[in-house]
Amino acid sequence: MMERFLLQSMDTEEKFYKYEEQRLKTEENRREAEHAREFQMLQMLGQMLAGISSTVSQRSQYMPSNPSQRSNHRSYGDNFNYNSMTTLSPPIVIERSFSMHKTHSIKEMENIFQLVRNIIPPLTAKKHKGQDGRIGIVGGCQEYTGAPYFAAISALKVGADLSHVFCTKDAAGVIKSYSPELIVHPVLDRPDAVHEVEKWLPRLHSVVIGPGLGREDVLLANAKGIIEKAKVKGIPIVIDADGLWLIAQQPSVIQNYPRAILTPNAMEFSRLYEAMLRDPVDSNDQHGCLLRLSQALGNVTIVQKGERDLISDGEKVLVCSHEGSSRRCGGQGDLLSGSLGVLAHWALLAGPEKTNGQNPFLVAAFGACSLTRQCNHQAFQKCGRSMTASDMILEIGAAFNKLFET
Ligand SMILES: NC(=O)C1=CN([C@@H]2O[C@H](COP(=O)(O)OP(=O)(O)OC[C@H]3O[C@@H](n4cnc5c(N)ncnc54)[C@H](OP(=O)(O)O)[C@@H]3O)[C@@H](O)[C@H]2O)[C@@H](O)CC1
Ligand SMILES: Nc1ncnc2c1ncn2[C@@H]1O[C@H](COP(=O)(O)OP(=O)(O)OP(=O)(O)O)[C@@H](O)[C@H]1O
């Protein structure tokens, strides 16, 4: 009896291993096919990007009226003149959708996605702390402590080494208590705030201005002073939330700065548009409005957040409609701006070869939008209606791996 049992179980075991072997072989074949496809795509990358031609309208329609606005504003990297690549091409719209429910996925977007992968710095034993990014967040006041925390922790979780928060005195203790990982400076409401932040600027690779900043005059004035100092040093500046309130009042603060990225939600976009174009937004011409606003601000990069994130530098419009969820809890934009702070630095550092001559900030913005939406999707699958921004932040690691490192 025992012998028969043993024989049976050996037989079962053998069958199991045979099945497993077959399964692994099928899996291996699938992976090989996938790698071959990826490799082929990489080879086609240069050609395809040069050949993208989904023209939406004639470029001249969107040219800034003042030609002087178009000069001297395309130096993203030290020796890199992006404008020379694009002056002959019309505005382009590229769209990517990961949604299983949508069918308008366009091949070219795969290329932008690959460019995001290209800019991610390798993890090696040769680097020291700080080299993968030191990011500054300017924001955080008595009312809003969550927003700067979300942005700063997102920057770390995407892969920055150090994340600094410059906030008011009464917000600092609260923000510190959320996370020991953040370096928190209680300086923003001091009379010498600009000087205090300026001391740190040479150590920072990018700054995100606005999450939880509030709209007190003194804080807005200090934010303005910090932007001016960061501009002099050529630091990439992401402007979000109340930082955009400031820009709507005083656009010249950021106008014509080529390393600026603005991340307005629908309301913030309308405010900026009306301030610059003296017209209401035309909801039937979203792309045109975005192009016009970017151009009016001197071709700064704009990420218009919403059901689909629209990204433009006044020359092109990228559309990110990666599947997220229908949950609209606060803080999703903060995750985006913090992530973008890191990716903007990486994209600039990577240089034109890695971004295939594309505007590095478009590549970075596309990466940050895809990542935010993927976090949203994953967190929503786990938490449903109870999902909050903190749940999304917990997903950053897995979402990043899924999108960019597998
Ligand atoms: N936990 C925290 O600490 C968080 C703090 N945060 C911080 O709060 C500060 C203020 O930011 P904010 O976005 O509430 O201000 P603002 O742009 O004036 O919007 C006000 C009004 O605009 C509307 N509205 C907004 N979005 C819209 C849309 N997509 N589409 C259409 N309408 C839209 C909406 O109008 P309603 O629907 O209420 O009539 C809303 O009442 C800022 O510092 C930010 O960082 C947040 O980051 C969240 C997490
Ligand atoms: N209608 C929508 N459908 C799907 N995703 C959306 C929608 N609206 C916003 N999102 C997602 O949320 C992100 C942030 O956009 P949102 O409009 O919430 O910004 P915000 O108001 O600045 O956020 P915050 O609450 O951090 O201030 C977008 O980039 C997008 O990923």
Side-chain angles (χ1 to χ4, degrees):
M1 174 95 163
M2 187 63 180
E3 200 177 334
R4 221 171 76 204
F5 174 72
L6 278 174
L7 277 173
Q8 259 179 359
S9 81
M10 273 168 65
D11 190 36
T12 313
E13 203 175 331
E14 200 172 315
K15 274 188 190 143
F16 169 76
Y17 281 122
K18 259 198 189 137
Y19 169 79
E20 192 58 7
E21 203 175 308
Q22 250 174 13
R23 194 186 63 76
L24 286 174
K25 211 167 201 164
T26 314
E27 178 66 9
E28 199 178 306
N29 287 343
R30 193 187 61 75
R31 275 210 198 119
E32 265 174 19
E34 221 171 62
H35 282 158
R37 194 173 59 86
E38 262 181 24
F39 181 61
Q40 205 181 3
M41 269 174 49
L42 268 174
Q43 283 185 318
M44 289 162 72
L45 189 65
Q47 290 164 297
M48 290 174 90
L49 277 171
I52 292 170
S53 60
S54 320
T55 310
V56 281
S57 59
Q58 288 305 306
R59 184 170 183 281
S60 55
Q61 193 181 335
Y62 300 111
M63 292 276 272
S65 48
N66 177 0
S68 67
Q69 281 185 349
R70 296 184 34 76
S71 56
N72 300 325
H73 68 273
R74 280 298 178 184
S75 179
Y76 301 109
D78 287 341
N79 305 307
F80 175 34
N81 189 338
Y82 169 73
N83 209 26
S84 61
M85 267 207 58
T86 54
T87 41
L88 296 176
S89 44
I92 289 170
V93 175
I94 317 173
E95 193 154 342
R96 176 189 174 100
S97 167
F98 287 107
S99 166
M100 304 297 283
H101 313 296
K102 293 182 185 151
T103 52
H104 58 276
S105 168
I106 292 180
K107 260 260 170 75
E108 288 90 341
M109 222 54 193
E110 291 295 338
N111 299 323
I112 302 288
F113 196 68
Q114 186 56 47
L115 297 182
V116 180
R117 290 174 168 217
N118 289 353
I119 64 165
I120 296 167
L123 291 167
T124 78
K126 303 276 175 240
K127 288 191 211 162
H128 62 262
K129 177 181 63 191
Q131 278 187 288
D132 275 346
R134 293 183 294 265
I135 312 301
I137 312 291
V138 177
C141 60
Q142 194 177 27
E143 292 88 346
Y144 306 124
T145 54
Y149 161 76
F150 293 143
I153 199 76
S154 298
L156 280 182
K157 285 189 177 280
V158 164
D161 290 338
L162 296 164
S163 198
H164 294 255
V165 178
F166 301 93
C167 58
T168 62
K169 189 165 180 240
D170 45 12
V174 183
I175 297 171
K176 274 182 216 250
S177 76
Y178 299 151
S179 167
E181 275 108 5
L182 304 180
I183 302 162
V184 184
H185 306 263
V187 296
L188 214 49
D189 47 354
R190 278 171 47 166
D192 58 349
V194 176
H195 178 65
E196 282 301 309
V197 180
E198 188 186 10
K199 287 199 276 195
W200 284 93
L201 288 181
R203 307 274 308 144
L204 298 180
H205 294 116
S206 67
V207 288
V208 180
I209 312 266
L213 177 66
R215 291 175 193 168
E216 263 187 49
D217 287 346
V218 66
L219 298 181
L220 293 174
N222 286 339
K224 178 182 168 186
I226 294 163
I227 293 172
E228 301 289 6
K229 300 290 181 191
K231 274 166 48 178
V232 171
K233 295 193 158 39
I235 297 172
I237 306 174
V238 177
I239 304 206
D240 189 25
D242 302 316
L244 295 168
W245 175 264
L246 167 68
I247 300 305
Q249 319 300 313
Q250 302 178 52
S252 61
V253 172
I254 207 66
Q255 204 164 21
N256 297 321
Y257 183 58
R259 294 184 176 183
I261 313 177
L262 275 47
T263 58
N265 64 23
M267 177 61 93
E268 290 153 352
F269 186 87
S270 305
R271 258 188 229 124
L272 284 170
Y273 191 88
E274 281 167 28
M276 291 304 299
L277 282 302
R278 307 273 163 217
D279 252 339
V281 170
D282 177 357
S283 55
N284 295 316
D285 183 20
Q286 278 192 311
H287 291 183
C289 288
L290 178 58
L291 285 161
R292 281 190 286 277
L293 180 58
S294 167
Q295 288 163 7
L297 285 166
N299 288 80
V300 300
T301 302
I302 301 180
V303 180
Q304 186 183 1
K305 300 175 291 191
E307 186 173 354
R308 301 180 314 154
D309 295 319
L310 306 181
I311 305 159
S312 182
D313 59 355
E315 305 255 353
K316 283 182 182 162
V317 177
L318 305 186
V319 182
C320 181
S321 46
H322 188 100
E323 190 172 14
S325 85
S326 301
R327 181 80 172 99
R328 298 275 68 81
C329 56
Q332 301 185 26
D334 304 320
L335 193 158
L336 183 114
S337 61
S339 311
L340 185 50
V342 186
L343 287 163
H345 162 56
W346 287 352
L348 204 52
L349 192 69
E353 279 136 49
K354 291 286 173 84
T355 53
N356 211 24
Q358 294 291 310
N359 175 344
F361 296 131
L362 291 184
V363 176
F366 187 77
C369 291
S370 313
L371 180 68
T372 305
R373 300 172 87 95
Q374 179 67 25
C375 290
N376 184 311
H377 183 66
Q378 289 179 199
F380 185 74
Q381 285 196 321
K382 289 186 184 164
C383 308
R385 198 179 280 274
S386 80
M387 180 192 100
T388 63
S390 298
D391 298 314
M392 285 173 60
I393 283 161
L394 290 176
E395 296 298 324
I396 291 178
F400 191 94
N401 283 345
K402 187 173 164 70
L403 293 181
F404 308 128
E405 297 200 299
T406 50

